[in-house]
Amino acid sequence: MRIGGGMAAAWFLLVAVAVLSAAEPLRFERSRIGDVTFEAASAFDVDRDGHLDIVCGGCWFPGPDFRRQIRITEPMRVDDYYDDFSDYPMDVNGDGYEDIITGGWWGGTLQWRENPRGRPVEWTTHEIDRCGNIETTRFWDVDGDGHVEVVPNAGGRVAVYRLVRGPDGRGTGQFTRHVIKPDGCGHGLGFGDVNGDGRGDFVVPDGWIEAPADPFQGQWIWHPEFSLRSASVPILVHDVNEDGRADLIVGSAHNYGLWWYEQRVDTAGARQWIRHDIDPDRSQYHDLALADIDRDGRLDLVTGKRYRAHQEHDPGSLDPVGLYYFRIDRGRFIRRTLDYGPVGQASGAGIYLWIEDLDANGWPDVIAPGKEGLFLFRNLGPRPAP
């Protein structure tokens, strides 16, 4: 079936996927949305009609049924990569409509795409900065003012882009750049309060960067305390074992393995990081997220395999793809499988997944983009009691 104006048809494959657990059996309904293979997605109300929509690379799908596909633009393409490694919603120009922050490896440029106020016309792309090859971009409130900043894992540095806001608090379409660490940052980026002083610190593969009281004027302090190699983006800062100290959750973006690093501090104040396996047997854990998927009051780890992250050059590249959440129970990670199987039949996690309660049933859903397709996993909540 073709829908409207030559738009590619949106087609749906509905599969009930049972996630079995004695504590909280959940049901997920899987849908493949559209015939697109972009690796980033998000959800927000593009046209302000009261329904959440799905945005993925060069198009968006109006909610609540996501059956129409509306063009945004044609991102740069190199082989089977698209230069669209995030689709974060932010009202950049202050017109009341959320735009998209994006960018990618090949173009080396951080960009924002201007929402044409929900009309079905092409979005204008604006350059923020030519910052170098972007592995992907993350969004954290670095200065604690209630607004997130834009932080690409790009150019071998940690640089923060802050939206300039007018007296009314609205965006002006302009950004200021603040360099936190100019070099030696590598593949992998995280943010969180590592040392418990109430301020957010940055984490890169070879250490963490301690925040000053004023993050944009003060001096950041470098702590080279570990080596994570080619790490996930993001590296998650989270108190895994609930001992009051922040730990790290790290995936191997281009090899096998998923781990957590336990932070220990001795009586003299010396810090150590102890590595524990979560899943050493699956590859290309590139994107990680924390969300309370099962609504038990604790954050769960949501992740999966990025298909063809380096085409077929990574170890395990041709292994089956999968999407999972892990219940975190005081240092134990209990894997629940949302999907697993060969490409063409199952979904991985892409480079920028999104978690959102799209149908307002109170249970977070998972939007999983990737080179194998765009999938939605509707969380139906617990299985009814017999």
Side-chain angles (χ1 to χ4, degrees), residues 116-315:
R117 302 194 173 196
R119 291 176 292 126
V121 298
E122 183 154 338
W123 299 31
T124 301
T125 298
H126 303 268
E127 181 178 301
I128 299 173
D129 188 29
R130 297 186 181 182
C131 56
N133 305 109
I134 299 173
E135 188 62 36
T136 182
T137 304
R138 295 293 141 170
F139 303 85
W140 296 300
D141 185 358
V142 176
D143 58 357
D145 68 348
H147 300 289
V148 298
E149 277 71 50
V150 180
V151 191
N153 187 189
R157 70 184 69 87
V158 176
V160 174
Y161 296 82
R162 189 184 192 195
L163 179 61
V164 177
R165 298 180 182 275
D168 58 359
R170 292 177 176 266
T172 64
Q174 302 298 313
F175 291 83
T176 58
R177 186 179 76 166
H178 307 268
V179 177
I180 304 300
K181 190 175 188 297
D183 53 31
C185 295
H187 188 305
L189 182 65
F191 180 79
D193 185 2
V194 172
N195 59 352
D197 66 357
R199 299 192 286 266
D201 311 299
F202 281 103
V203 181
V204 295
D206 291 326
W208 63 283
I209 316 166
E210 182 180 350
D214 185 334
F216 298 134
Q217 298 295 328
Q219 182 66 43
W220 292 70
I221 301 171
W222 172 236
H223 298 275
E225 294 180 353
F226 42 73
S227 179
L228 307 177
R229 293 170 290 182
S230 185
S232 54
V233 188
I235 299 163
L236 297 176
V237 181
H238 179 63
D239 183 2
V240 170
N241 56 359
E242 300 181 21
D243 66 351
R245 288 188 293 270
D247 309 300
L248 306 178
I249 304 174
V250 184
S252 180
H254 297 289
N255 209 319
Y256 284 92
L258 178 64
W259 309 278
W260 71 281
Y261 286 75
E262 180 184 358
Q263 181 182 173
R264 295 181 184 175
V265 181
D266 65 22
T267 55
R271 187 177 289 104
Q272 291 183 309
W273 298 89
I274 311 301
R275 193 178 87 170
H276 304 273
D277 282 342
I278 301 173
D279 182 3
D281 300 323
R282 290 169 174 79
S283 75
Q284 296 169 91
Y285 280 116
H286 204 293
D287 188 17
L288 314 178
L290 290 171
D292 188 1
I293 289 291
D294 55 12
R295 292 187 6 185
D296 67 350
R298 286 179 173 156
L299 292 175
D300 309 297
L301 170 64
V302 183
T303 185
K305 178 186 175 72
R306 181 189 175 197
Y307 174 54
R308 288 174 62 84
H310 281 166
Q311 296 179 324
E312 296 179 7
H313 303 298
D314 287 339

